[in-house]
Amino acid sequence: MLTTSEDLGMISVMKVATSRLTSADFAALKKAQMAAEERGRFAHLVDLSGVRRAAVSGLAALLEFQSAAKSNGSIAFFGAQPAVKAAITKLGIAPLLSLFDTRKEALAHPAFRACQLAGVKSVLLVAGAGSRMAPISHDTPKPLVDLLGQPVIAHVMQHLESFGLRDFILNPGHLGPQFHTRFKTTAHRSIQFFNEGQFVNQRWQPAPLGSAGTLLALQAQCAAFEEDFFVFCGDALINIDLAEMMAQHRASGAEVTVAATSVPHEEVQKYGIIEADARGRITHFVEKPAPEQTQSRLASTGIYVVKPSALRHLTSSDASPQGLDIAQHLLPEILKSGAALQVYGAPFDWVDIGCPKDYFAAISKALRGLIAGVSPEAQEVRRHVWLAPGAELSARAVVVGPCYIGPGAKVSAGAKLDGPTVVGAGARVAPRALVQRSILMPNTAVAPGTWLSDMIVSADWAIDHRFADGGTTTAVPMEGVTHAEVAQAPVDLPRVGSL
């Protein structure tokens, strides 16, 4: 029996070619498995498309191999020819075999998807001040803004981890110590910090380098990248097929692959627009063009796969990495050199949280179940009403979902919530208060009789999210809204639920 192997992340794909599968082939499969595990592969896919026929003893060998290999990791088969599938069905062993029709179907299974990109590094860019997100970003870095119980960046990491990505590099800048407090390396996740700032007289002073500057400094100071790596923004939710993107990148031979999504033509002025040929080769970038300046609707999402060698296009001409940007400096230099840049344009969801208006829209979509992989970290105690651990909701409060009540928050009898609405961690809503289509920031108290509509509020400021699009935003304190710790505690009343 002829067996060839291909490594895909932590997966070994073993192709079997034989005119007739018999019990004697078990030894060859076992040998290929052992060789793969010596290379550090702990999941195995067996390609049966080259097997013409299978004896009963050969099918028994597949069962024995699966049973033996499962003790060390995941295993499955795919691509069986009709004659082989018929023999499996006749013997009645189909339920016992992990059998898929195609390689793509097998790789999409969670057990194998989570192994495809193991060992690949991911840079999550978090240094920016997030000025368009003001005033929310004054006290909280944009990637750490809460989204139904978890920071936005935690949702991003969960999607990455579903493909086996576990090695994360973060570059804290604006309010950098908050990242150190929030994230630690665990047995399942490696977090490395590349600080873009420092303490001066016990006060943190950010010193962001720019996205390309960060990559250059990481390579120059830490030799961080030996193989192709991902770059993400820490404040945009995605459901992109990262394994497919990496496979396309490697097949293309490009220096950098850029994930792009189609936007309405009348909105191209909001984005960096990519122009590409029929093969997906990038030919031109236009930063925030007027609609009449380009026919392309492909907007860069700030998601990249980068070859380490791509960074040489900047190191030769720039003594300092300070202020260098991927889109404005690195990619144009690569184009100028004649090297290849590729666009990844397969459809995917991209929820960019750039300003308070975007933030409320993201929460509204997530509460309605419209963002894949994002749901409240809470118990649903009424229809479309979620209560986080430690939250209290009076049985005599009126709540029209969707609403999320965060950890330690309290909603008193006689209060009314009208969704989509979020009551942040530790917040208080007093009797006769109305919170409608709004977000209460953590530790915010709404006094009796106060009405809020279409607002994002804290004790220190309030903004109408419908118009908070990143331009000049008027944020002033709102009457009836204070810090929760100085608010009068509500009377203890019957509760719908408490976690």
Side-chain angles (χ1 to χ4, degrees), residues 95-433:
L96 304 177
L97 281 176
S98 298
L99 185 64
F100 297 91
D101 288 336
T102 64
R103 168 174 166 149
K104 184 175 182 179
E105 183 183 327
L107 289 173
H109 188 277
F112 292 98
R113 190 174 74 167
C115 299
Q116 292 181 56
L117 296 175
V120 175
K121 291 183 178 179
S122 299
V123 178
L124 283 84
L125 299 171
V126 300
S131 57
R132 295 182 62 243
M133 193 67 161
I136 297 172
S137 55
H138 289 167
D139 299 317
T140 305
K142 194 162 53 164
L144 293 185
V145 170
D146 184 83
L147 186 67
L148 304 185
Q150 289 197 73
V152 171
I153 193 173
H155 292 289
V156 177
M157 287 181 176
Q158 286 179 353
H159 180 69
L160 272 52
E161 288 170 345
S162 72
F163 289 92
L165 294 166
R166 296 289 189 275
D167 299 314
F168 302 125
I169 302 173
L170 278 65
N171 63 327
H174 174 62
L175 302 174
Q178 292 189 28
F179 290 95
H180 291 266
T181 301
R182 179 61 181 79
F183 294 105
K184 307 291 182 185
T185 292
T186 68
H188 305 289
R189 174 191 287 172
S190 171
I191 303 290
Q192 299 180 50
F193 294 108
F194 185 76
N195 293 324
E196 297 185 20
Q198 60 183 334
F199 282 100
V200 178
N201 297 326
Q202 299 185 331
R203 291 178 62 87
W204 178 263
Q205 299 293 331
L209 296 174
S211 56
T214 296
L215 304 184
L216 285 171
L218 277 166
Q219 192 71 327
Q221 299 176 30
C222 309
F225 311 116
E226 296 180 358
E227 299 179 350
D228 297 352
F229 60 95
F230 282 101
V231 179
F232 302 92
C233 297
D235 56 5
L237 302 169
I238 54 173
N239 70 347
I240 187 170
D241 188 333
L242 297 170
E244 183 181 80
M245 183 179 177
M246 178 62 81
Q248 186 185 104
H249 168 77
R250 289 169 173 165
S252 73
E255 292 281 274
V256 178
T257 294
V258 184
T261 191
S262 183
V263 298
H265 190 253
E266 62 272 14
E267 295 183 9
V268 295
Q269 69 272 15
K270 299 179 182 179
Y271 305 99
I273 298 300
I274 295 169
E275 296 179 0
D277 63 20
R279 299 175 301 157
R281 294 292 194 196
I282 295 173
T283 58
H284 191 53
F285 288 96
V286 187
E287 186 65 23
K288 298 181 179 179
E292 62 272 15
Q293 291 179 298
T294 180
Q295 293 302 310
S296 175
R297 297 191 297 117
L298 283 177
S300 172
T301 60
I303 302 168
Y304 308 97
V305 184
V306 182
K307 280 187 176 181
S309 61
L311 301 179
R312 75 181 190 277
H313 292 279
L314 286 179
T315 53
S316 60
S317 58
D318 295 274
S320 169
Q322 189 81 28
L324 294 178
D325 181 76
I326 293 174
Q328 295 182 38
H329 301 102
L330 177 59
L331 299 184
E333 285 295 322
I334 295 174
L335 273 183
K336 191 186 302 182
S337 74
L341 293 175
Q342 188 76 16
V343 65
Y344 178 78
F348 64 94
D349 293 331
W350 175 57
V351 181
D352 182 29
I353 304 177
C355 61
K357 183 177 181 179
D358 294 338
Y359 179 44
F360 181 82
I363 282 180
S364 181
K365 289 180 68 175
L367 283 172
R368 291 181 169 88
L370 300 179
I371 301 180
V374 178
S375 59
E377 293 284 305
Q379 179 182 347
E380 190 173 9
V381 294
R382 301 180 187 173
R383 179 172 171 80
H384 299 154
V385 177
W386 289 271
L387 224 60
E392 298 181 11
L393 172 62
S394 169
R396 288 182 282 167
V398 178
V399 183
V400 180
C403 293
Y404 168 78
I405 302 170
K410 293 184 179 181
V411 180
S412 300
K416 181 175 181 180
L417 306 182
D418 191 358
T421 282
V422 166
V423 180
R428 304 286 186 267
V429 184
R432 296 183 291 106

Side-chain angles (χ1 to χ4, degrees), residues 1-21:
M1 179 179 72
L2 176 64
T3 303
T4 57
S5 292
E6 171 196 355
D7 292 336
L8 185 63
M10 293 295 106
I11 304 171
S12 172
V13 183
M14 298 179 283
K15 185 176 176 71
V16 176
T18 182
S19 59
R20 187 167 182 265
L21 191 69

